[in-house]
Every structure is written in structure tokens, then in C-alpha cells.
Amino acid sequence: DGGITQSPKYLFRKEGQNVTLSCEQNLNHDAMYWYRQDPGQGLRLIYYSQIVNDFQKGDIAEGYSVSREKKESFPLTVTSAQKNPTAFYLCATKTEFNQPQHFGDGTRLSIL
Amino acid sequence: AQSVAQPEDQVKVAEGNPLTVKCTYSVSGNPYLFWYVQYPNRGLQFLLKYITGDNLVKGSYGFEAEFNKSQTSFHLKKPSALVSDSALYFCAVRDAGNTPLVFGKGTRLSVIA
């Protein structure tokens, strides 16, 4: 989606390693979200932030951490505590109340 | 808590035929309903939304959806399917409290030439 950049596109994690997924937006949207997508399971919410310096846990926050120090950026760290991190990770943003969420093109994380 | 069900994992239709992808929802109060499409290794693209007003909503690429409050459904439709419509389709819902979207598990649409 135009204006939302997720990097890298592919990422490999070694056992016991933390990795950070980047999400940057230039849409000036207040809210940002991280979802995890697994085959046949749809999208599950990890964390979300509706304003800078504030964020809330989603349905599957265990083993993940986030920060929201700038409006444009919402990085997701997959910690070694996440035992099954292999998935497609999607970042999304939203502006006003009635508007849809916009999605980046995702990062695919695999285990070495 | 809100939830979404997409009862069909896969839908197959012939090119030129009408298509329907089903979605039912559960939410407290008035629902905010959305349809998205996903192509391989890409993010989700917004198709259409229902917030209030006319029960028939028209969206991108010729898609439309009908909101049925009594059946708590929001089925996605297109009068004439194209091969290029083949993709993964997601229905999503949230309540009026600006909570994050809750997504269904997705329906894979295959349009056969």
C-alpha cells in the first residue's frame, strides 16, 4: 500500500535471537497495528497504537514487543520467547474513525 | 467481543459467472464492516465498507456487498467474475468504539477460465 513501508521483505531468525521488523508510514495516520498471518487462520492482532507513546496488547502479544516513539514508526520485535515465529507479519495504519485500515506489503519471517 | 465467520475456505466459479463470498458477524451494537482482498505475498487491499445507510454497498473493481442486519451477514458479490479476481478475500468487523478490526479466516476465490 502506498505510504506504508515494511522492511525487510524476508527475514530469517536463528534460535534464541531477537529480530525487529520495521514499519514506517508517511500517511500522517494516528493509529498503527501489527497483525500476524498464518495459513488458514486469518489475521491475528499482536499490538496496536492509537497515539504516540502509547500502545495496547492484542490477542497474541506474548513473545512480542513494540515501541511508538514517533508517529511515523511502529517497530515490532519478535523475541526469543516467541517459540513459533514463522509467519507473515502485516503492519497497518488508520486515520479517522470511519476510515479503513491500510496495509503494508508485509514481512515474511522464517526460522533458520 | 466481536467475531467474523467466513464459512467457505474456498470458492470456485467460472469466468463470467456471478460470485458470492459469504461473511457473517457478531458484534455488540452497530457493526462497521469491511472487505479486503489479498494477492500472493502482498498486503491487504481495501475493497469496500459498510458504516451506515444503504444496505447495498458498491466498492472497487466492480465488487459490492449487501448488509443484512437480521441475518448478521455481509456477503461480497460481483455480477461477472474475472480470472484476475482470483485471490484471498477477508471480511472484517469492529464495533462503534474504534477498536481494531477483527478478521475472518479468509476465503480463497478461484475463477476458472
Side-chain angles (χ1 to χ4, degrees):
Chain A
D1 200 346
I4 303 172
T5 302
Q6 290 191 242
S7 61
K9 193 168 181 63
Y10 299 96
L11 187 59
F12 298 91
R13 194 189 90 168
K14 296 179 181 179
E15 292 289 338
Q17 186 181 43
N18 293 351
V19 292
T20 297
L21 285 60
S22 172
C23 178
E24 302 280 332
Q25 55 114 350
N26 62 5
L27 300 171
N28 200 35
H29 288 177
D30 289 317
M32 298 186 74
Y33 309 83
W34 275 106
Y35 290 91
R36 171 179 170 143
Q37 184 178 13
D38 296 282
Q41 295 196 45
L43 276 69
R44 293 182 289 169
L45 183 66
I46 304 172
Y47 270 98
Y48 66 103
S49 168
Q50 294 185 321
I51 196 169
V52 174
N53 293 322
D54 188 42
F55 50 82
Q56 286 78 40
K57 293 182 178 180
D59 300 319
I60 56 165
E62 185 174 352
Y64 300 96
S65 66
V66 293
S67 63
R68 187 83 187 278
E69 297 176 0
K70 301 184 301 182
K71 188 175 187 177
E72 302 80 13
S73 179
F74 191 41
L76 173 73
T77 296
V78 184
T79 75
S80 57
Q82 172 51 244
K83 297 306 180 188
N84 185 24
T86 298
F88 191 50
Y89 290 86
L90 288 161
C91 177
T93 70
K94 187 170 79 70
T95 179
E96 296 162 2
F97 184 70
N98 286 342
Q99 296 307 309
Q101 291 177 192
H102 298 260
F103 284 82
D105 273 343
T107 292
R108 190 168 297 280
L109 176 62
S110 302
I111 300 300
L112 283 177
Chain B
Q2 48 260 41
S3 65
V4 175
Q6 293 182 242
E8 300 156 316
D9 292 335
Q10 187 168 4
V11 170
K12 292 185 179 179
V13 298
E15 187 174 31
N17 282 2
L19 70 87
T20 299
V21 182
K22 296 180 180 178
C23 172
T24 58
Y25 66 89
S26 174
V27 69
S28 299
N30 294 325
Y32 289 61
L33 294 155
F34 301 80
W35 274 103
Y36 287 84
V37 61
Q38 185 182 35
Y39 296 98
N41 294 312
R42 299 297 302 275
L44 276 64
Q45 295 178 28
F46 168 71
L47 283 178
L48 51 81
K49 66 179 180 180
Y50 173 82
I51 304 298
T52 187
D54 194 346
N55 288 345
L56 185 63
V57 179
K58 294 188 182 297
S60 305
Y61 313 119
F63 284 94
E64 58 189 28
E66 186 167 11
F67 171 64
N68 187 317
K69 188 173 184 177
S70 63
Q71 297 186 5
T72 61
S73 67
F74 190 56
H75 301 330
L76 181 70
K77 300 181 180 184
K78 187 173 183 181
S80 178
L82 301 172
V83 172
S84 57
D85 293 329
S86 299
L88 188 57
Y89 289 80
F90 289 98
C91 181
V93 69
R94 66 170 177 84
D95 60 23
N98 203 24
T99 53
L101 287 177
V102 173
F103 287 83
K105 293 187 176 183
T107 298
R108 187 164 300 281
L109 174 67
S110 298
V111 181
I112 311 301

